[in-house]
Amino acid sequence: MMLHWILNPGLAINELILGQRVPKVTLIEKDSKKNLAEKCFIPCPHCDTIHSSLKWTPQNKTAFKNWFGLYCDNCGQTIPCLTNLTSYILLGLTLPLWIWFKKGWKQKWLLTQKEKFSKPLTLTTPEYNWVTQGLSWGFFMYVFTEILFPLIDSEKYNYYKLGFGLIYWSLAGLGFGYVMKKLLFRQTNKQSQDKTQQAT
Ligand SMILES: [Zn+2]
């Protein structure tokens, strides 16, 4: 998953625009009864606090906008994250455009994080609707790759390609949503099945 995060160029969009980040270090508990999200812990290298990965979820409004890293609510510093290779190149090329603002942006961002994390966080596994999640991801990728990128390259739109892209990204989105569900919630299903079996 970490290697995929670095190598897949599409994920630069998740990283640079949505601010979705993957920490450099994740600890995974060896307990098969929990699902992956519950098993993952993220250590802060500054204060050695071991955080539940469930602190950074959509329900806590902390899954995105993590452009500067993951905020540690114990020491107020940021937990270092991986950088996608494409993001790295894009950031390098555009360095003269943003370097002047980085400090100010980070200060502002840190204040927002402090406020977000001052509220009680929900540490339960979020509900995951793979169809909606997958399709919205597919739609997002469609808009970027088929509509915005050709616009930037001043390429002419090809209606055949636009139509094909819609089908392609819907299917890719559904595939993505399904794989993510399987990957993240495999153990939960097993556990709930066990519970049902026990109950009957
Ligand atoms: Zn810390």
Side-chain angles (χ1 to χ4, degrees):
M1 270 178 102
M2 285 168 113
L3 201 66
H4 176 233
W5 188 266
I6 295 173
L7 295 178
N8 184 343
L11 291 173
I13 294 170
N14 296 53
E15 206 170 77
L16 294 178
I17 297 178
L18 300 178
Q20 209 178 357
R21 303 300 299 271
V22 172
K24 280 188 178 162
V25 180
T26 303
L27 307 171
I28 304 176
E29 197 185 337
K30 283 187 182 171
D31 182 347
S32 61
K33 286 192 192 80
K34 294 178 179 174
N35 66 50
L36 188 61
E38 287 169 337
K39 277 195 287 193
C40 285
F41 292 88
I42 301 167
C44 170
H46 307 289
C47 67
D48 291 331
T49 304
I50 295 179
H51 299 279
S52 160
S53 71
L54 291 164
K55 278 193 178 175
W56 295 275
T57 51
Q59 54 189 349
N60 290 322
K61 297 193 174 70
T62 49
F64 303 103
K65 302 183 184 176
N66 296 319
W67 294 292
F68 296 96
L70 298 178
Y71 179 77
C72 170
D73 58 349
N74 184 53
C75 68
Q77 302 213 57
T78 46
I79 299 168
C81 293
L82 297 174
T83 308
N84 170 275
L85 198 64
T86 311
S87 310
Y88 194 77
I89 295 168
L90 287 174
L91 284 173
L93 291 174
T94 55
L95 188 94
L97 296 176
W98 54 263
I99 192 75
W100 321 101
F101 308 104
K102 193 189 167 191
K103 218 175 162 185
W105 283 341
K106 191 170 178 181
Q107 290 299 332
K108 234 186 239 172
W109 178 84
L110 279 171
L111 287 176
T112 324
Q113 299 307 307
K114 203 173 174 184
E115 198 197 309
K116 271 189 192 173
F117 281 89
S118 62
K119 290 169 196 152
L121 299 172
T122 319
L123 296 182
T124 49
T125 315
E127 287 285 324
Y128 189 84
N129 182 331
W130 69 273
V131 177
T132 324
Q133 293 283 334
L135 283 179
S136 42
W137 180 83
F139 180 72
F140 190 78
M141 292 303 284
Y142 175 73
V143 170
F144 267 90
T145 56
E146 309 289 336
I147 298 174
L148 288 180
F149 287 164
L151 199 72
I152 296 166
D153 287 343
S154 50
E155 240 177 68
K156 269 197 186 145
Y157 289 125
N158 171 336
Y159 290 104
Y160 171 74
K161 217 177 144 236
L162 282 177
F164 177 77
L166 199 62
I167 299 167
Y168 173 81
W169 284 112
S170 306
L171 291 176
L174 286 175
F176 175 78
Y178 189 72
V179 169
M180 288 307 279
K181 183 193 162 79
K182 283 283 159 201
L183 215 62
L184 295 173
F185 302 102
R186 187 177 39 199
Q187 299 298 348
T188 328
N189 293 343
K190 214 173 168 184
Q191 196 186 7
S192 48
Q193 267 171 18
D194 288 347
K195 270 185 198 153
T196 350
Q197 275 168 4
Q198 277 167 13
T200 47

